[in-house]
């Protein structure tokens, strides 16, 4: 697989990854800030500096295998003016940002005559944003989908489930290595592509 990736493709994927991950993480931090929590702001997560957002191993995996992760944005829900509403908006902010960027990429492709490098870059940006957005909707901790569910649960259940968040990494790893993750992602990705097609 790696032998089939040339230098231009690595450059395109690298740029697309930055355009995908940085707005996603900034959206989480900015939503938290708007909801009353300045933890992400104080950690420098409202910055465009990639070094503040990228996890080295997760970024390499995303470039090479189209699957990866960034540094988690630290928030303190106790600072939210409304805890449940804040948790919801912070959780959904990154995913919505990815889908908006995917829509923008399609619009630019549709209404311009770009080709070559720029066309491939926009296509790659579209795919990475769709994949990251859909992947984060899976309701397994620590993904955003689990936080969305938390936002609708009583706080006592939220604390209870949060204790088992570390096991979510193991479950995700099992889903990836077994190939079961593809069975979850492919229908969701297909649905989002069709939905964006109707919107655009």
């Amino acid at each position: 697989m790696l032998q089939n990736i040339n230098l231009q493709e690595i450059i395109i994927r690298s740029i697309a990854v930055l355009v995908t991950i940085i707005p996603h993480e900034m959206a989480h931090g900015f939503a938290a800030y708007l909801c009353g929590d300045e933890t992400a702001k104080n950690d420098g997560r409202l910055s465009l500096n990639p070094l503040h957002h990228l996890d080295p191993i997760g970024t390499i995996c995303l470039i090479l295998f189209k699957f990866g992760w960034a540094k988690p944005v630290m928030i303190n829900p106790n600072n939210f003016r409304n805890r449940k509403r804040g948790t919801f908006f912070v959780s959904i902010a990154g995913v919505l940002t990815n889908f908006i960027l995917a829509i923008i990429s399609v619009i630019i492709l549709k209404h311009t005559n770009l080709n070559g490098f720029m066309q491939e870059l926009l296509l790659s940006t579209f795919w990475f944003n769709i994949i990251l957005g859909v992947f984060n909707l899976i309701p397994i901790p620590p993904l955003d989908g689990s936080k969305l569910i938390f936002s609708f649960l009583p706080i006592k259940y939220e604390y209870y489930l949060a204790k088992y968040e570390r096991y979510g990494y193991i479950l995700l790893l099992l889903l990836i290595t077994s190939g079961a993750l593809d069975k979850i992602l492919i229908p969701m990705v297909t649905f989002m592509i069709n939905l964006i097609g109707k919107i655009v």
Side-chain angles (χ1 to χ4, degrees):
M1 177 180 177
L2 299 182
Q3 294 176 346
N4 296 328
I5 302 177
N6 58 37
L7 179 59
Q8 178 171 303
E9 187 172 356
I10 291 177
I11 293 172
I12 288 172
R13 287 190 183 187
S14 299
I15 297 173
V17 164
L18 294 177
V19 175
T20 301
I21 287 181
I22 294 176
H24 177 102
E25 299 303 329
M26 285 183 63
H28 283 312
F30 189 63
Y33 177 73
L34 292 178
C35 291
D37 178 36
E38 297 189 5
T39 304
K41 178 178 180 293
N42 295 334
D43 285 345
R45 300 306 297 273
L46 303 188
S47 168
L48 288 172
N49 186 343
L51 298 178
H52 291 170
H53 303 287
L54 301 183
D55 177 275
I57 297 177
T59 302
I60 292 172
C61 288
L62 192 57
I63 293 171
L64 298 180
F65 308 116
K66 295 187 177 180
F67 166 82
W69 55 91
K71 292 179 185 176
V73 173
M74 302 304 295
I75 63 170
N76 186 350
N78 294 321
N79 292 332
F80 293 153
R81 286 182 287 273
N82 182 305
R83 182 187 176 96
K84 290 299 178 181
R85 189 183 303 157
T87 300
F88 175 83
F89 284 122
V90 171
S91 301
I92 200 66
V95 171
L96 285 179
T97 298
N98 287 134
F99 292 152
I100 290 171
L101 288 171
I103 291 172
I104 292 173
S105 299
V106 172
I107 291 174
I108 295 174
L109 282 167
K110 183 177 180 180
H111 296 285
T112 61
N113 294 318
L114 298 173
N115 52 43
F117 183 89
M118 288 304 301
Q119 183 184 54
E120 291 298 321
L121 177 59
L122 284 168
L123 284 171
S124 192
T125 300
F126 169 80
W127 277 108
F128 276 119
N129 275 286
I130 288 291
I131 292 170
L132 187 65
V134 167
F135 176 70
N136 270 283
L137 282 176
I138 297 175
I140 298 176
L143 300 180
D144 297 334
S146 67
K147 305 298 192 304
L148 287 173
I149 293 177
F150 288 171
S151 70
F152 293 101
L153 294 176
I155 292 179
K156 62 179 181 179
Y157 295 115
E158 179 183 343
Y159 285 139
Y160 177 79
L161 292 175
K163 291 192 300 183
Y164 297 95
E165 182 170 313
R166 61 184 180 275
Y167 298 111
Y169 291 97
I170 299 174
L171 179 56
L172 285 171
L173 183 60
L174 290 174
L175 289 174
I176 294 166
T177 55
S178 66
L181 185 63
D182 289 342
K183 296 180 181 179
I184 299 173
L185 284 180
I186 290 175
M188 294 173 68
V189 168
T190 302
F191 172 81
M192 282 307 305
I193 290 174
N194 292 334
L195 180 61
I196 290 176
K198 292 178 181 179
I199 293 173
V200 174

